[in-house]
Amino acid sequence: KRDEYDDGPQCKDIFSKFILINDLVKSSKIFELSFPIKKDQTEVAFPIYQSTKRDAMFTDDPSCKRLLTVTVHFPNVERGTDRELLVTMDFSSTLLHFQAVDVTSGKSAQVD
């Protein structure tokens, strides 16, 4: 379960946990993410999953279900891997606000 990136192999299909079942979330809890990209990569897809298990480790676990995928396009590859994407997830009330922004171009994708 790995993928090759310009700076070496990275694990893939990892179920990253931001909020666990039955956890109390403070209003406007915001998470910022960073991740590796490939030098010729022109888009990034962010799949959002939920799990019925607190200890799920991979997204292909039977307890995991993909809710949606948000894709950000950033066609300018001149800077290779020296590009910045700012990704935020805001858990306010019972809603999830997800936004990914290509800092260089200002292009963004979001889900409310």
Side-chain angles (χ1 to χ4, degrees), residues 6 37-41 74-85 102-105:
D6 296 323
I37 59 173
K38 298 175 183 176
K39 64 182 175 187
D40 59 348
Q41 193 170 353
F74 49 108
N76 185 348
V77 297
E78 287 178 3
R79 295 176 60 198
T81 57
D82 185 28
R83 294 176 282 165
E84 183 180 0
L85 286 181
D102 174 359
V103 174
T104 304
S105 71

Side-chain angles (χ1 to χ4, degrees), residues 35 41 43-48 66 69-72 74 85 98:
F35 54 91
Q41 193 170 353
E43 66 179 31
V44 174
F46 296 94
I48 307 295
R66 184 185 308 206
T69 300
V70 180
T71 302
V72 179
F74 49 108
L85 286 181
F98 178 96

Side-chain angles (χ1 to χ4, degrees), residues 48 68-71 88 90 95-100 109-112:
I48 307 295
L68 61 112
T69 300
V70 180
T71 302
T88 59
D90 179 354
L95 303 175
L96 165 65
H97 176 78
F98 178 96
Q99 182 177 34
Q110 64 186 31
V111 174
D112 292 315

Side-chain angles (χ1 to χ4, degrees), residues 16 19 21-22 26 33 36-37 40 47 49-50 73 107 112:
S16 298
I19 296 177
I21 296 170
N22 297 324
K26 293 182 180 182
L33 311 170
I37 59 173
D40 59 348
Y49 288 86
Q50 73 174 18
H73 301 274
K107 291 186 179 196
D112 292 315

Side-chain angles (χ1 to χ4, degrees), residues 24-43:
L24 181 62
V25 179
K26 293 182 180 182
S27 181
S28 295
K29 176 69 175 178
I30 297 175
F31 296 90
E32 292 187 355
L33 311 170
S34 63
F35 54 91
I37 59 173
K38 298 175 183 176
K39 64 182 175 187
D40 59 348
Q41 193 170 353
T42 58
E43 66 179 31

